[in-house]
Amino acid sequence: MINRRRFTRRLVYAAAGMMVPFSPVFVRPSPAAAQKPPELAVVSGPDYPALVREALRLIGGMERFVRPGKSVVVKPNIAWDRPPELAATTHPQVVGTVVELVLAAGAKQVTIFDHTCNEPRRCYVNSGMTELIETLRDRRVRLEHIDRRKFVRTSIPAGRSLREWEIYQDILTADCHINVPIAKHHGLSRLTLGLKNVMGAIGGNRGRLHHGLAQNLADLATVIKPTVTLIDATRILMDNGPQGGRLEDVRRTDTVIASADPVAADAVATTLFGLRPEDIETTVAAARMGLGEMDMSRITVREHRL
């Protein structure tokens, strides 16, 4: 488990723009914890497919989340017409490895999509996703272009700000939802991580959600619940997000973070930017609603450098 001293050291390194040195950590949950702490993996190294495999292995393997014969939605961030090196979209090697593991676990169908901000076909091509699917050559995998007829008005009973919204049908009906955001700066919410990646799975007037964005995203998280979140922090966009466009805003961190707890995943990813979990309003709002753990002392973190 990360202790306060270790957490403070991480902040110092991140604020200085330095890679945090990783070493295997043996953890033991606190007996005082009221509930079992969420498990989380932080893996770093230059081989991106290996990072994904190891991160998922450390939290139980893909078989823990995907059962044979089930349908799976893999939701990356493909919102912008940007190549992978600009860190505005999830790296295709990360997405591709997730899909390969899902198929190896026996999934009958894998759907990948995003409700893009720029022109959809350009986003899919320039992010590398189209080439990825062509390379996989597997009929079980489908890169879906948004069909607006699939947005269904969905009740949000636990919502404090939103009581209903249009949500993409596939993500509501899939047996398993794997959230694969990229970690990056955002001009409005400071960072966009796992919880904000839900914006690519909803319809309606998304701009309307920007007023009270943190609570709105937390409300959506009560009905759009990823089975597991794997945050791509192989390259992180430090400024001019979410769209970016300048290589000088990109820092290579060669890291992925995985957890079944979406709040914990966001909380730990935040430290890569030299920030604290409580600096991100969306994380705070979701934690207050009991959607996950943001207290670093209550998260079981397994770190490994490959």
Side-chain angles (χ1 to χ4, degrees), residues 186-201:
H186 192 284
L188 183 60
S189 59
R190 298 194 74 174
L191 297 180
T192 170
L193 302 163
L195 291 165
K196 194 173 182 308
N197 200 36
V198 72
M199 292 291 281

Side-chain angles (χ1 to χ4, degrees), residues 78-84 89 116-131 143 145 243:
I78 330 172
W80 304 101
D81 178 15
R82 297 292 192 207
T89 54
T116 65
C117 298
N118 293 148
E119 200 278 322
R121 293 191 183 280
R122 292 206 316 268
C123 291
Y124 280 23
V125 170
N126 288 331
S127 66
M129 294 301 158
T130 299
E131 182 179 359
L143 181 61
H145 282 271
Q243 189 169 3

Side-chain angles (χ1 to χ4, degrees), residues 124-151:
Y124 280 23
V125 170
N126 288 331
S127 66
M129 294 301 158
T130 299
E131 182 179 359
L132 166 69
I133 301 305
E134 292 173 352
T135 302
L136 287 172
R137 292 181 178 275
D138 194 307
R139 290 184 177 180
R140 292 172 293 174
V141 183
R142 182 164 52 98
L143 181 61
E144 166 134 332
H145 282 271
I146 290 293
D147 180 348
R148 295 186 180 279
R149 295 170 296 181
K150 287 189 175 182
F151 285 116

